[in-house]
Amino acid sequence: MLKNNNGAVITKLAKRSMSGNKRRNMVIAMAILLSSFLLFTILTVGITYIKMQARQNMRMKGAVYDAVLIGGFTEQQKQICEENEDITTIGIEAKAGYPEETDADDTLHTVLIWSDDIYWDVQKEPAMDKVKGRYPTKDDEVMATKEALEDCGKGDLGIGDSFTMTYQDKNGPHTKEFRIAGMWEGYGDNKVFYVSKSFFDQSGHAFSDVNCGILYLDFKSQIMTEKTQTEFRDSLDLGKQQRLFFTSETEQSVQLLAGLAGLVIMTCLSAYLLIYNILYLSVAGNIRYYGLLQTIGMTGKQIRRLIQRQMLIIGTAGTAGGILLGFATSFFLIPVVVKTLGVREDVDVVFHPAVFLLSIAVVGITIYLGSRKPTRIADSVSPLEALGYRTVSGRKASHKTGRGSILWRMAGEQLGRDKKKTGVVILSLAACLSVFLCLVTMIESHGARTMMSNYMNADLIISNDTMKKEDESEWYRIIDKKLLSDMRDMEGVEKLHPMTSTQIIIPWEPEFSDMWMKEFYETWMDHSYEEDIGEYKQHPEKFYTFMTGIDEEEFDYVNSTLEKPVDKEQFLDGRTCLIYRDGLSLHLADIRGKKVSFSQYKDRTKSYTMEIGGYVDDGYYAFMPGMTPVVLVSDAFVDRTVEDPWVSRASVQYKEEYDGQTETQVKKRAEEGPHGGDLSYDSKIDNMKSIQKAQGNMMGVGIGITLILAMIGLMNYINTVSGNIQNRQTELSVMESVGMTEKQVKGMLIREGLLFAGISLFLTATVGLGVTYACYQSLNYMGIAFHVPVLPVLAMAALVTFVCTMIPLAAYRMISGKKSIVERIREL
């Protein structure tokens, strides 16, 4: 066949073909528009979600930084950081004193801190919502927060007001009148008074003191490998008392990037499968038309150019429309919907040029690949073969009679007739469901309710702050038996665990206590152990600590967290104990099996020796840490040996988690006594509210992403099944003509849908769950336990099953209409 130089004619023919097949081309254009819209939207909203998560982390930290050096720092270490080209900002904080009392409250929880301009004006500024007044410049001025003033019993004061406070610094106790120079509201630790540089200079503290200087480091690169982190840590030559902590997102930045890349790839794959499937059906359905063109003189090359130009025109229009629609949805519709839902905070949707380019590239590649095989078929078949071409493939040469339900066998055979097309549909649906599973698991796990967890998942921890005072005469038995009994009897309280405590003395001995004290001084003290060892040997009562009792349920919880569990019977009997490690670098082998001897502080004749079974690190037991170790024993042992032990704190668990009404009742009862104001609370409800405030509308945006992904898979299935049934009109009509009832046809279609749904859900529950777990762990820089949310997953499974069974019926009804079998066969 001779080739004709008719390029202009091909372009004209492509346009006429498009106008003559408006319905079919509209389906292709809408598929491309939908995919480009979904891809652009999900990537744009996804980047917005990541930015919002970064903002949440910044708010929870209270400033912008990637690493923090605590335990003091030297001028040389600061210089090393300044010379590091990868560090953009270096902020400094220094503890200048510890408030002890005001005329309104003598159990304070605040701290006096000085910060330099970099930390205050650059790193902390994004975490502050409102600042009034100015930062202190004189030694009697403070920058306060409402929370800090309320902790001092001065919540009604404001800028310009003064109050008197007793505080402790390195030079000893002082009583001073302070004037409030400014106030701020924001995130992070709000129980802080910021002081001037002149105040810090007079405090006697130095940046190198173990409990004083803090360096906040912000790095240029957001991705830091473990090797880079180790090299930087080694360059600082840290002392035993110093700790360099990278933030969770920085420490696991490589894993985080890998997880995000995996989600992006799966999202692009889902969009690719949607476009590919529809293009394959649409282009293949036109092959008979292309065969007719060959009969009038078009060559195979010209047919390929015709198809390519059709796809170029349709693809350009669909991609442009999808991106414009995605842009409008991302930047206008989503913020409006979020505000309609009652979220006050604005949604700062982030646009990145890479999203625009990636969307065009994925759609373009998909159009090319999706039309490649049908184009080859149209080019390779003869005009006569093209006229008789059918899109289904993989037909069996023979058919054997099988056992079981004939409708199920026919449905299964239909899925196997074109394995590639069936595989594309199932893979697309399973991929979208897997991404949905991954995101909904992450969103549910990173919700404010899930992220907050206290000791033994307690809803409220009540602490007796008077027991933190060094003078025992100022202690008050606020948490007594009557209060504990009343709280247990409350309707909304499920469990109550009091922590009994009594003072003990651990005398010096060479095997354990001497080793402990050496490690303690090297870690926490600013002078050597040799200076105090003589005092410790002669007067161990000055180094007193506490024996703390826990009940049987608490022991089971603690024992489950130990590296090597201890014998329960020996612990309850008082032969074995645990110790609170207090941040020391002691290993289990250093202490396990050693003996610790101690006596009661008020009656040294009551002395005991126990074997150390292990250590605990939970800060719950650090309520009253001494220089010698806190010893954990059973509460039964405390009751047997101590006449009237103190209750230092109690953990309360409600029947219904986050029960605000019960919490109000518990607090009201606890504060009824004369010293109720000396109680402090660690409330899971309050912590949840703080996280919700830091998260803003991040959870709502994340849910929007999962819904968009679910749409991709379902739209792919809808388009594929509709096209499939349309191509099977002849087959279905012939089956009815030989005796198959309409009810049986519908039953077969329902079974086909159930097979699609079942296989897709099976792949999601196996391979998809494995991928979800891998992605989750790579993104889980906060160490939250993996937990699949049951209700959203069941709802999605039910929706997929419903759609997969109803769509075939709807498509069959639309195609068959009210026409008779003869009319349907005659039209084909």
Side-chain angles (χ1 to χ4, degrees):
M1 188 178 291
L2 298 176
K3 298 181 180 179
N4 299 319
N5 185 14
N6 51 6
V9 175
I10 291 175
T11 301
K12 188 175 181 179
L13 184 61
K15 295 179 179 178
R16 285 186 177 181
S17 177
M18 289 177 58
S19 62
N21 296 277
K22 291 181 179 179
R23 184 176 180 182
R24 185 183 295 273
N25 292 324
M26 185 61 68
V27 172
I28 301 176
M30 288 301 297
I32 296 172
L33 184 147
L34 178 64
S35 295
S36 57
F37 158 70
L38 293 175
L39 187 60
F40 179 86
T41 303
I42 198 170
L43 291 178
T44 300
V45 178
I47 292 177
T48 301
Y49 180 84
I50 294 171
K51 293 288 185 181
M52 295 174 72
Q53 191 172 51
R55 182 173 63 181
Q56 167 201 308
N57 296 335
M58 176 271 295
R59 288 174 170 179
M60 294 178 68
K61 294 183 297 186
V64 178
Y65 60 88
D66 296 318
V68 56
L69 175 60
I70 64 174
F73 62 88
T74 64
E75 189 63 32
Q76 183 180 3
Q77 289 171 330
K78 180 172 176 288
Q79 185 177 352
I80 292 173
C81 294
E82 291 172 342
E83 295 174 352
N84 191 317
E85 297 180 354
D86 293 331
I87 298 178
T88 56
T89 58
I90 303 172
I92 300 176
E93 269 195 344
K95 296 177 182 178
Y98 299 89
E100 292 183 338
E101 63 177 337
T102 65
D103 57 357
D105 197 333
D106 59 354
T107 54
L108 307 186
H109 307 86
T110 55
V111 62
L112 302 174
I113 290 181
W114 169 78
S115 69
D116 70 346
D117 295 339
I118 298 297
Y119 180 79
W120 181 260
D121 295 328
V122 179
Q123 294 179 332
K124 191 168 182 63
E125 191 275 336
M128 293 191 290
D129 290 336
K130 189 183 300 182
V131 179
K132 296 181 179 179
R134 58 175 176 79
Y135 191 87
T137 57
K138 301 178 181 179
D139 59 7
D140 63 344
E141 294 178 336
V142 294
M143 169 68 76
T145 63
K146 191 71 174 177
E147 291 80 0
L149 291 172
E150 288 176 348
D151 183 74
C152 297
K154 303 291 182 179
D156 56 339
L157 299 185
I159 296 177
D161 294 330
S162 299
F163 64 99
T164 302
M165 179 168 61
T166 300
Y167 66 93
Q168 182 92 17
D169 62 15
K170 198 169 185 178
N171 297 320
H174 309 273
T175 300
K176 192 180 187 70
E177 184 177 19
F178 292 93
R179 188 175 68 85
I180 302 174
M183 295 188 67
W184 67 278
E185 297 177 13
Y187 302 89
D189 186 4
N190 288 341
K191 290 186 178 180
V192 172
F193 289 108
Y194 284 97
V195 297
S196 65
K197 183 64 165 60
S198 60
F199 181 93
F200 173 74
D201 292 337
Q202 298 174 15
S203 67
H205 291 288
F207 292 143
S208 57
D209 291 347
V210 63
N211 290 317
C212 180
I214 305 173
L215 280 183
Y216 295 96
L217 311 174
D218 191 33
F219 289 84
K220 183 187 304 181
S221 174
Q222 298 298 317
I223 307 299
M224 293 189 68
T225 64
E226 185 176 349
K227 179 181 178 182
T228 303
Q229 297 174 30
T230 302
E231 289 175 350
F232 176 71
R233 182 178 280 107
D234 293 341
S235 70
L236 294 177
D237 191 22
L238 300 176
K240 195 175 183 65
Q241 298 176 323
Q242 295 177 309
R243 301 286 189 276
L244 177 68
F245 296 105
F246 288 94
T247 59
S248 300
E249 60 269 28
T250 302
E251 187 175 17
Q252 300 186 25
S253 55
V254 175
Q255 298 95 314
L256 184 64
L257 179 64
L260 292 174
L263 289 177
V264 171
I265 291 173
M266 291 183 68
T267 302
C268 294
L269 175 63
S270 301
Y272 164 79
L273 291 172
L274 174 59
I275 300 177
Y276 175 87
N277 204 24
I278 296 175
L279 282 180
Y280 180 82
L281 290 173
S282 300
V283 176
N286 267 334
I287 288 181
R288 281 185 286 179
Y289 166 71
Y290 301 135
L292 290 174
L293 292 178
Q294 291 187 58
T295 64
I296 59 175
M298 285 193 74
T299 64
K301 182 177 180 181
Q302 290 169 340
I303 289 178
R304 289 198 302 271
R305 290 170 60 188
L306 172 63
I307 297 175
Q308 290 168 358
R309 292 186 186 184
Q310 286 178 332
M311 292 299 102
L312 178 63
I313 296 172
I314 297 173
T316 302
T319 304
I323 290 179
L324 288 176
L325 183 61
F327 185 89
T329 302
S330 301
F331 289 87
F332 299 104
L333 182 59
I334 289 179
V336 171
V337 171
V338 170
K339 289 184 178 180
T340 303
L341 294 174
V343 180
R344 298 180 181 178
E345 189 174 356
D346 293 333
V347 180
D348 300 324
V349 179
V350 180
F351 172 75
H352 199 285
V355 173
F356 178 76
L357 297 176
L358 180 62
S359 300
I360 295 176
V362 171
V363 174
I365 293 172
T366 303
I367 294 173
Y368 171 74
L369 296 177
S371 59
R372 189 177 178 183
K373 182 176 180 179
T375 302
R376 289 202 307 265
I377 295 174
D379 177 23
S380 61
V381 298
S382 66
L384 186 60
E385 291 172 333
L387 291 175
Y389 181 80
R390 292 291 184 270
T391 55
V392 292
S393 62
R395 294 186 177 184
K396 296 182 179 180
S398 62
H399 182 81
K400 296 182 180 180
T401 302
R403 296 181 179 179
S405 171
I406 187 172
L407 296 181
W408 278 110
R409 284 191 285 110
M410 293 177 68
E413 289 173 0
Q414 178 59 39
L415 265 66
R417 293 177 69 179
D418 192 338
K419 296 183 175 61
K420 181 175 182 180
K421 185 169 61 179
T422 300
V424 168
V425 177
I426 292 176
L427 180 60
S428 174
L429 196 55
C432 290
L433 289 175
S434 298
V435 177
F436 172 84
L437 175 64
C438 183
L439 288 181
V440 78
T441 299
M442 291 182 58
I443 290 171
E444 183 77 10
S445 300
H446 286 75
R449 285 174 172 262
T450 311
M451 290 175 65
M452 289 317 307
S453 180
N454 288 329
Y455 168 76
M456 288 185 67
N457 202 32
D459 290 280
L460 184 68
I461 295 176
I462 307 174
S463 301
N464 181 358
D465 289 341
T466 65
M467 296 183 65
K468 292 182 178 180
K469 298 181 179 181
E470 293 187 8
D471 188 353
E472 188 180 352
S473 64
E474 298 181 3
W475 294 7
Y476 297 98
R477 296 183 182 272
I478 308 176
I479 308 177
D480 55 16
K481 294 181 180 179
K482 182 66 169 61
L483 173 60
L484 295 174
S485 176
D486 290 346
M487 288 193 295
R488 282 195 179 96
D489 293 338
M490 289 183 180
E491 184 178 351
V493 174
E494 176 73 19
K495 296 178 181 178
L496 181 67
H497 297 285
M499 189 169 79
T500 55
S501 302
T502 190
Q503 292 171 288
I504 59 172
I505 300 171
I506 299 179
W508 181 92
E509 48 82 22
E511 184 178 1
F512 170 70
S513 62
D514 186 64
M515 174 194 66
W516 173 276
M517 293 296 281
K518 286 180 180 178
E519 186 71 20
F520 182 87
Y521 270 75
E522 290 179 1
T523 304
W524 297 118
M525 304 299 289
D526 54 6
H527 60 278
S528 67
Y529 174 51
E530 283 69 23
E531 296 181 33
D532 291 341
I533 186 173
E535 184 77 4
Y536 177 41
K537 289 181 178 180
Q538 295 181 12
H539 301 285
E541 69 276 4
K542 294 183 179 181
F543 300 81
Y544 70 89
T545 184
F546 289 86
M547 176 176 67
T548 296
I550 58 177
D551 60 32
E552 186 173 349
E553 185 176 347
E554 288 179 288
F555 169 77
D556 291 336
Y557 164 77
V558 172
N559 207 29
S560 66
T561 65
L562 298 181
E563 183 179 344
K564 290 185 178 180
V566 302
D567 184 85
K568 182 175 181 178
E569 182 180 349
Q570 292 185 3
F571 181 85
L572 297 179
D573 192 45
R575 288 175 286 164
T576 303
C577 68
L578 301 170
I579 63 171
Y580 173 64
R581 190 162 56 162
D582 200 14
L584 305 187
S585 57
L586 294 174
H587 300 288
L588 183 63
D590 298 327
I591 60 175
R592 186 178 174 90
K594 292 184 182 295
K595 303 287 186 179
V596 58
S597 299
F598 58 91
S599 62
Q600 294 189 26
Y601 186 81
K602 294 184 177 180
D603 188 356
R604 298 193 188 183
T605 60
K606 296 182 178 180
S607 59
Y608 318 94
T609 299
M610 294 185 182
E611 181 178 306
I612 301 174
Y615 59 77
V616 296
D617 291 320
D618 197 321
Y620 179 77
Y621 304 106
F623 179 65
M624 300 170 296
M627 296 176 69
T628 48
V630 174
V631 179
L632 270 66
V633 297
S634 68
D635 61 348
F637 178 82
V638 175
D639 292 338
R640 289 198 309 267
T641 57
V642 182
E643 183 176 350
D644 190 15
W646 290 81
V647 178
S648 54
R649 64 186 353 175
S651 64
V652 186
Q653 187 173 338
Y654 308 144
K655 291 180 180 178
E656 294 185 9
E657 196 175 17
Y658 298 99
D659 186 347
Q661 184 176 357
T662 298
E663 182 154 307
T664 301
Q665 294 176 354
V666 171
K667 287 183 177 180
K668 182 178 179 181
R669 172 61 186 88
E671 295 170 358
E672 285 180 355
H675 300 285
D678 291 325
L679 293 173
S680 62
Y681 306 97
D682 184 1
S683 166
K684 193 157 63 171
I685 294 177
D686 292 341
N687 294 336
M688 180 191 68
K689 291 178 180 178
S690 298
I691 290 184
Q692 286 177 334
K693 182 180 178 184
Q695 287 179 337
N697 45 39
M698 187 179 72
M699 294 296 106
V701 174
I703 292 172
I705 296 175
T706 62
L707 294 178
I708 293 173
L709 279 170
M711 287 176 57
I712 295 178
L714 294 179
M715 286 301 299
N716 192 5
Y717 177 78
I718 292 171
N719 282 279
T720 302
V721 171
S722 299
N724 185 27
I725 292 178
Q726 185 173 5
N727 291 327
R728 294 167 60 195
Q729 289 184 68
T730 302
E731 177 185 339
L732 295 175
S733 300
V734 170
M735 292 171 68
E736 290 186 57
S737 69
V738 296
M740 194 172 188
T741 65
E742 182 179 348
K743 182 179 180 181
Q744 289 175 322
V745 172
K746 291 181 178 179
M748 181 186 68
L749 295 177
I750 289 176
R751 285 164 173 79
E752 289 179 16
L754 289 175
L755 288 175
F756 273 113
I759 297 173
S760 301
L761 291 174
F762 175 77
L763 290 176
T764 304
T766 53
V767 180
L769 185 61
V771 174
T772 295
Y773 182 79
C775 289
Y776 180 88
Q777 293 299 344
S778 65
L779 297 171
N780 187 26
Y781 56 86
M782 302 187 72
I784 301 171
F786 178 78
H787 174 72
V788 177
V790 178
L791 292 180
V793 172
L794 290 179
M796 179 51 65
L799 177 62
V800 168
T801 304
F802 176 79
V803 171
C804 287
T805 53
M806 291 298 105
I807 290 301
L809 293 180
Y812 172 73
R813 185 171 183 178
M814 291 178 61
I815 293 171
S816 62
K818 296 183 179 180
K819 298 176 182 178
S820 65
I821 297 175
V822 175
E823 289 174 329
R824 278 183 274 158
I825 295 177
R826 183 183 300 164
E827 291 177 355
L828 299 172

